[in-house]
Every structure is written in C-alpha cells, then in structure tokens.
Amino acid sequence: MNHFTRRQFLEAGAAFTTLSTFRLDALANGPVSLRAHAAAKGIAFGSSFSTSYMSDAAYTQLIADQCCILVPEIELKWAALRPSPTAFDFNRADALCKFASTRNMLFRGHTLVWEQSLPSWFEGYVTSSNVERVMTNHIASVVGHYAGKISSWDVVNEAIQVEDGRADGLKVTPWLRLFGPGYIETAFRVAHEADPKAILVYNENWIEAEDQGSERKRRAVLSFLTQLKKKNVPVHGLGIQSHIHADMKVTGPNLRRFLQEVEDLGLSILITELDFNDQRLPGDVPTRDRLVAERYEIYLTFLLQFKSVKTILTWGLSDRYTWRSYVSKRADGLPVRPLPYDADLKPTLSWEAIARAFDGASQR
Ligand code: G3I
C-alpha cells in the first residue's frame, strides 16, 4: 500500500481541499476504525480531544485508533493560551499537537476569534483603541506557532445571530462592539498571512434544522460568506458544528439548498462538532441508542451527497467525556448517550450507523 507520512501529506498541501487526490486510506490505522471506513471514500474522520483526558490510556488509544483528525476541545482557546495580555502558554496545545503527529493524525485549530472562553483580563484590558493590535497579534502569534502543523483553522466561531437585530446579522459580541464588523475580514487576512497553506474556516452553530429561525440564520451566513468571497477574503470553508437535538428534523430542502449554495461559492464544507442530544428521547437505552443511531445515519448520508463534504468530526468520541453530560442533563437523571462509544468505551449502534454512512458515500 502507498504510504504517506503525515509530513508528506501536509507538505504536499493536502489538507482538506485536495484530500481526494491522496490515498487517505494510508492514514486509516486498521480496517475496523471509523477513520478507515471514512478514508476508503476520501473522507477524513476525527474528534475533539483534551489534555485532561490523556491520563485515560484506553480512551487516548481509542482516539488514536479511530481518528484521522484531532481538534483540541479547549486548549487553543484564548482562556487556555493567554495567561496575561503579554504571555502565551502553548504547553497543553503543544502536547496535543505532538500526540496527533506521533499517532498519524492531522491537527485542527479551534478557535482564533470567539466571544466565549476569553481570559479574565480581556474585559478591562481590551478597548476600542487596542483591540485590533490585540487580536491581530494573537492570531499572527498562534497561527505562526503552528504554521505547517495545523491543517485547518476555525478562524472565527459563531459570529452570526439574527436575533441581535443588526442588518448584517452579526452577533453583538465584544469583538464587534470594540472593533466593528471588519474584525472578521481582518482575522482571516492575518491568519492567511501567518500560514498561507492552512485551510481557513468560518465555523457556525444552529444552521442545521429546518425551522424558520435556522433558515434565517442560514440566509445571513450565506450572505455574509458571499460578501467575504467578493472581497477576496481568504476563507476556504464553512464549518457546520452540528450539535443537534435528536428529535429535530434536519435533513430537509432548506438545508439541501443551503449546502448547494455554499458549495457553489467554492467553499469546502466541514462538519466540525457533530453530536446528537438525546435529552428528550425515551430513557430506555436500546430505544434511545436506536433513535440516535438512526439520526447519525440519516444526517451523514444526507450530507455526504455533497462532494464538498470531506471532513466529519464528532465532539468527543465517547459518552465518558462529553460536554452534554453537564449542559444537556436528562430530566430522568440517566446519563446521556450522544456519541459513537458509550461510557465503557464500547461501540454503540451509532458507531455502526456512522460506518454505514461512510460505506454508502461516493468516492471523494
Ligand atoms: O469540567 C467541568 C464540569 O465538571 C462542570 O460540571 C462544568 C460546569 O460548568 O464545567 C466543566 O468545565 C468546563 C470545561 O470546558 C471542561 O470541559 C468549563 O466550565 C467550560 O468553560 C469549558 O467548556 C467548553 C466550552 O466549549 C467553552 O470553551 C467545553 O468543554 C467545550 O466542549 C465547548 O465546546 C464548544 C465549542 O468550542 C464551540 N461550539 C460549541 C461547543 C459546545 O459548547
């Protein structure tokens, strides 16, 4: 079998836009992994992970076995990287980068500009006079530190919120208030300068469902991306987070049209944080697992009809470690089961559903 080392893969500028030209199966790590099922079709499968899970050897091994891409859950956020306005602490993110590299995984960056997970010094220190310098210095330093090692970056995260009432649909965040709407364009340009080979992604939530609110948000995202492209801003992909209520309809004509429009803009589509919220499903585990698995298969099969969808990441791999265990608690007190492995690290029906969706996808 042809074998590409991770370095060759990156040096060749493979990243995500050109995954299809490479033998992704060389990164498959064995025949029975999700990464192998995905790689056989030119799709990159991965998950978020955190240094706080690295003491769990079995889980760490599972991540390396199953994933072809690793994304830090918190280590690249400002609160983790920036102990003070003048300092950077790359230790934890570097540990994840090394783990990804030694275990033959690509490494993704999340996220450079977000209004959450900011350090406590941010408010009070950052003003409209210094915000541009603070933001551009952060982006240039962090992207520069990982240049050639991070294949794609979530440059700006969750910047649109139609309910905030602005004509451009932008969410009113500290970045917007202090910098003005140009912060997004600047962020992409500075990131591109710091690593011209990295794939730069705009990452957004709540744009999957068929309801009117989601549709309004999709329209705002599309119009915003269209303007960025017109201005030749270096944005290469849209990240669709896909934190989805398992009882919501998400595979309808509105989403289909939107995916086509994004594809027509020439953007890659990355599914960046997939998990299904089982909070409102029946408690009975076999029933719940069957329903969640069905959602995975239906959603992924729908998405994978689009050739620009080449990257699928779940937000965690096992119910042992999921943000949903503290934000999506069930009324009956039962543990949540949103991911392809249960809390005992046993594959669930969702694992099989995801594998089947990859098997049924056309070649990238
Ligand atoms: O670990 C404790 C937990 O025991 C406690 O119950 C909980 C109560 O709030 O706090 C937990 O610590 C949290 C920490 O991550 C460890 O997981 C922090 O409060 C929390 O601020 C931090 O949360 C992260 C959050 O982003 C904010 O950065 C989550 O782990 C992470 O999964 C979440 O990820 C986001 C993406 O970045 C963007 N899209 C949505 C996604 C889910 O919110």
Side-chain angles (χ1 to χ4, degrees), residues 7-72:
R7 177 155 297 284
Q8 286 169 320
F9 193 79
L10 289 178
E11 277 170 357
F16 300 101
T17 45
T18 52
L19 273 176
S20 58
T21 57
F22 287 84
R23 290 290 304 278
L24 196 56
D25 54 346
L27 289 168
N29 268 19
V32 289
S33 62
L34 288 177
R35 71 188 275 174
H37 282 271
K41 298 300 171 69
I43 300 162
F45 173 78
S47 167
S48 63
F49 187 62
S50 169
T51 44
S52 56
Y53 314 142
M54 286 180 104
S55 55
D56 183 337
Y59 185 57
T60 304
Q61 183 62 46
L62 188 69
I63 286 279
D65 288 344
Q66 296 293 320
C67 297
C68 157
I69 312 176
L70 191 79
V71 59

Side-chain angles (χ1 to χ4, degrees), residues 29-169:
N29 268 19
V32 289
S33 62
L34 288 177
R35 71 188 275 174
H37 282 271
K41 298 300 171 69
I43 300 162
F45 173 78
S47 167
S48 63
F49 187 62
S50 169
T51 44
S52 56
Y53 314 142
M54 286 180 104
S55 55
D56 183 337
Y59 185 57
T60 304
Q61 183 62 46
L62 188 69
I63 286 279
D65 288 344
Q66 296 293 320
C67 297
C68 157
I69 312 176
L70 191 79
V71 59
E73 188 170 351
I74 49 176
E75 285 77 359
L76 285 169
K77 293 172 183 171
W78 282 63
L81 282 177
R82 304 300 307 277
S84 77
T86 49
F88 289 82
D89 178 357
F90 290 110
N91 284 325
R92 282 179 294 166
D94 282 356
L96 289 177
C97 184
K98 189 171 169 211
F99 170 56
S101 157
T102 55
R103 304 307 292 271
N104 202 24
M105 289 180 276
L106 300 172
F107 195 46
R108 271 206 95 225
H110 172 83
T111 174
L112 295 166
V113 186
W114 191 25
E115 95 273 18
Q116 291 183 36
S117 290
L118 292 171
S120 52
W121 55 260
F122 190 93
E123 194 184 343
Y125 178 81
V126 183
T127 64
S128 52
S129 318
N130 67 10
V131 64
E132 180 163 3
R133 182 172 55 75
V134 173
M135 187 191 84
T136 57
N137 176 51
H138 177 87
I139 296 173
S141 304
V142 177
V143 177
H145 182 83
Y146 290 104
K149 295 178 177 165
I150 284 193
S151 49
S152 77
W153 268 108
D154 288 336
V155 178
V156 176
N157 192 44
E158 301 171 13
I160 288 179
Q161 187 155 286
V162 179
E163 293 75 12
D164 284 0
R166 291 176 52 94
D168 56 13

Side-chain angles (χ1 to χ4, degrees), residues 59-280:
Y59 185 57
T60 304
Q61 183 62 46
L62 188 69
I63 286 279
D65 288 344
Q66 296 293 320
C67 297
C68 157
I69 312 176
L70 191 79
V71 59
E73 188 170 351
I74 49 176
E75 285 77 359
L76 285 169
K77 293 172 183 171
W78 282 63
L81 282 177
R82 304 300 307 277
S84 77
T86 49
F88 289 82
D89 178 357
F90 290 110
N91 284 325
R92 282 179 294 166
D94 282 356
L96 289 177
C97 184
K98 189 171 169 211
F99 170 56
S101 157
T102 55
R103 304 307 292 271
N104 202 24
M105 289 180 276
L106 300 172
F107 195 46
R108 271 206 95 225
H110 172 83
T111 174
L112 295 166
V113 186
W114 191 25
E115 95 273 18
Q116 291 183 36
S117 290
L118 292 171
S120 52
W121 55 260
F122 190 93
E123 194 184 343
Y125 178 81
V126 183
T127 64
S128 52
S129 318
N130 67 10
V131 64
E132 180 163 3
R133 182 172 55 75
V134 173
M135 187 191 84
T136 57
N137 176 51
H138 177 87
I139 296 173
S141 304
V142 177
V143 177
H145 182 83
Y146 290 104
K149 295 178 177 165
I150 284 193
S151 49
S152 77
W153 268 108
D154 288 336
V155 178
V156 176
N157 192 44
E158 301 171 13
I160 288 179
Q161 187 155 286
V162 179
E163 293 75 12
D164 284 0
R166 291 176 52 94
D168 56 13
L170 290 182
K171 191 196 278 183
V172 180
T173 67
W175 297 111
L176 183 95
R177 276 196 297 266
L178 297 171
F179 194 123
Y183 82 91
I184 298 177
E185 176 174 343
T186 300
F188 276 94
R189 292 198 191 281
V190 175
H192 185 59
E193 211 169 292
D195 186 358
K197 286 192 176 160
I199 301 299
L200 303 184
V201 174
Y202 174 71
N203 196 43
E204 192 50 278
N205 63 5
W206 303 119
I207 50 171
E208 302 85 13
E210 283 296 293
D211 64 286
Q212 282 188 3
S214 306
E215 180 60 9
R216 272 197 298 276
K217 185 163 184 176
R218 275 191 290 266
R219 293 296 109 208
V221 168
L222 189 75
S223 133
F224 187 70
L225 290 172
T226 306
Q227 285 168 38
L228 290 182
K229 291 292 283 181
K230 270 194 194 140
K231 289 196 236 171
N232 284 322
V233 175
V235 52
H236 310 120
L238 170 67
I240 300 181
Q241 291 188 8
S242 307
H243 295 296
I244 302 173
H245 267 289
D247 57 355
M248 277 184 91
K249 177 162 175 52
V250 289
T251 50
N254 290 332
L255 179 61
R256 181 181 297 282
R257 187 172 69 244
F258 175 71
L259 294 172
Q260 190 58 59
E261 288 164 330
V262 173
E263 202 170 85
D264 292 347
L265 278 180
L267 293 171
S268 296
I269 298 170
L270 297 86
I271 305 306
T272 48
E273 306 181 18
L274 177 60
D275 61 11
F276 280 99
N277 185 349
D278 67 345
Q279 194 176 31
R280 303 195 295 235

